[in-house]
Amino acid sequence: MDDADTVLAYAQNRLGPEARAAFEAELAQRRDLAAELEVLTDAGRAAGGPIPDQAARDAGWARLSAALEAERAPANTNRRPSMLQAAAIAALAIGTWQLIAVPNLPVTGGAYLEPASDSAVGDVALRVAFADAAPLSAVTAILTSTGARVVDGPTALGFFTLTFPDPAARDAAEAAFAAAPELVMTVTRP
């Protein structure tokens, strides 16, 4: 047993008669051992009870160690930015995008945005106004069967601009639309 265990065992009356006599003899010779015993007994009196046994001491050390570990751990690693910080980050990101990235984007056709109604759809387009009572399934079927692709519409007058893969497909679609007056009110070339 080391000195601390022997002092505790003496204070708790757990030493046998021979070990107790040997400890008392050593206690008379060593002042540090006597001081340690005095601190232990004073602590027991201050706590209002007997000197704790080894299990209680171990539990106390475990609580103290856990408290120290909790203090050493970082407080809050998942901190979210405040609304003001988030707004500042968003404004900085948008500003950076506008000043650095947008001017360096490739420009095609001379403009970034060009409405389909203003673009040159060439000679493979038709402008079509569908009947108000035309079922969507029938309109979808005729568009699919003719290979039409809607690129604009409806306009304020209800016209859709349709394109086709080639002039022959456009001509065939024009004939199909003219043959279905229950679906198509008007067909014109742009």
Side-chain angles (χ1 to χ4, degrees):
M1 252 197 272
D2 65 347
D3 287 345
D5 290 338
T6 306
V7 169
L8 182 63
Y10 178 80
Q12 291 176 338
N13 259 343
R14 289 186 295 130
L15 292 178
E18 293 172 7
R20 188 171 185 79
F23 178 74
E24 288 172 349
E26 190 176 352
L27 192 60
Q29 295 175 1
R30 291 182 47 196
R31 288 181 40 188
D32 63 321
L33 210 53
E36 191 173 336
L37 179 62
E38 185 178 339
V39 167
L40 186 63
T41 54
D42 287 347
R45 276 188 236 118
I51 297 171
D53 63 355
Q54 185 64 35
R57 281 183 31 203
D58 290 343
W61 276 113
R63 281 193 308 274
L64 180 62
S65 296
L68 291 173
E69 280 297 318
E71 284 183 23
R72 244 191 313 177
N76 186 2
T77 57
N78 293 333
R79 219 180 83 210
R80 294 186 314 175
S82 69
M83 292 297 284
L84 185 58
Q85 289 172 328
I89 291 168
L92 182 64
I94 291 169
T96 302
W97 174 259
Q98 291 292 328
L99 294 173
I100 295 173
V102 171
N104 294 319
L105 290 175
V107 178
T108 57
Y112 288 110
L113 297 173
E114 185 177 333
S117 58
D118 294 343
S119 65
V121 290
D123 59 348
V124 292
L126 292 174
R127 288 221 169 94
V128 177
F130 294 101
D132 290 337
L136 181 60
S137 59
V139 171
T140 304
I142 197 166
L143 290 175
T144 305
S145 67
T146 59
R149 192 174 125 230
V150 178
V151 294
D152 189 25
T155 64
L157 298 175
F159 284 96
F160 288 88
T161 302
L162 309 175
T163 60
F164 301 90
D166 53 47
R170 182 212 48 219
D171 295 341
E174 188 174 18
F177 292 149
E182 69 282 357
L183 296 177
V184 180
M185 291 185 345
T186 308
V187 178
T188 61
R189 292 187 183 194

